[in-house]
Amino acid sequence: MQRAALLEAARTLLSEGGTEALTFPALAERTGLARSSVYEYFRSRAAVVEELCAVDFPVWAAEVEAAMERADGPEAKIEAYVRRQLALVGDRRHRAVVAISAGELDSGAREKIRAAHGGLIAMVVEALAALGHEQPRLSAVLLQGVVDAAVRRIELGAAEDPERITEAAVAMALRGVRG
């Protein structure tokens, strides 16, 4: 029960102020726990972020996968892959995934996150292979690079409207996968 409350408080803090806002005193204040009690559940901020990712990333990835399953044909699947990820940028669960700082996580945690991210990339490999890409895995990694750049642009509050960023990313992705 307390662990779930701490994770929910962490999501809120990340949504409101990014990684800088995620502190043990802030978690304690949000949950009504003593600061020392927070340490009973998590040894560090990185451990909080790691657990948030372990909990939230599979849900987030399932939403992307479901959007792709509803799409008809490889190009539509790729479009769904891009659109759904960018639609999730405002989702509080996404903030936890984006908040990962390689400097704050130990190598084991970074490897877990990389593996989860690899699962997301694997979703689009089949669609790229169906379009005739000779190296569909490499193409998927590059496609995810376009998505990641669009995510960062939206997260930064760029001058462009998030919908314009999404449309540009989808257009770029589709032109790229067509070769």
Side-chain angles (χ1 to χ4, degrees):
M1 176 80 166
Q2 299 290 18
R3 189 177 212 82
L6 286 164
L7 291 175
E8 187 57 31
R11 284 183 196 98
T12 300
L13 290 166
L14 288 167
S15 291
E16 293 173 355
T19 54
E20 300 81 33
L22 181 61
T23 65
F24 279 28
L27 284 170
E29 183 180 327
R30 291 282 173 129
T31 58
L33 294 171
R35 184 176 171 183
S36 59
S37 296
V38 177
Y39 283 100
E40 291 177 26
Y41 293 94
F42 300 104
R43 68 187 184 286
S44 65
R45 283 178 359 138
V48 176
V49 172
E50 183 181 347
E51 185 154 338
L52 275 173
C53 290
V55 169
D56 292 347
F57 191 87
V59 175
W60 189 64
E63 290 183 29
V64 174
E65 186 173 32
M68 289 179 70
E69 287 174 0
R70 290 189 299 271
D72 188 29
E75 282 188 24
K77 288 183 183 306
I78 291 165
E79 181 174 350
Y81 176 83
V82 174
R83 282 190 187 282
R84 190 65 198 135
Q85 286 188 72
L86 297 179
L88 289 167
V89 170
D91 188 309
R92 293 175 344 131
R93 292 166 298 152
H94 182 267
R95 294 290 296 200
V97 174
V98 170
I100 299 166
S101 166
E104 290 185 35
L105 299 178
D106 63 30
S107 60
R110 282 194 308 270
E111 189 52 42
K112 287 179 195 172
I113 302 305
R114 250 187 248 114
H117 202 66
L120 186 62
I121 290 168
M123 290 180 198
V124 77
V125 170
E126 185 178 324
L128 289 163
L131 289 172
H133 284 264
E134 290 181 25
Q135 295 182 316
R137 174 94 179 133
L138 174 59
S139 297
V141 170
L142 297 174
L143 173 61
Q144 186 61 42
V146 169
V147 173
D148 292 344
V151 164
R152 281 190 303 278
R153 192 86 182 141
I154 292 168
E155 285 279 326
L156 288 172
E160 304 89 3
D161 178 68
E163 188 159 324
R164 288 185 65 98
I165 295 169
T166 298
E167 293 307 319
V170 167
M172 182 176 282
L174 290 177
R175 278 194 297 269
V177 299
R178 289 179 187 133

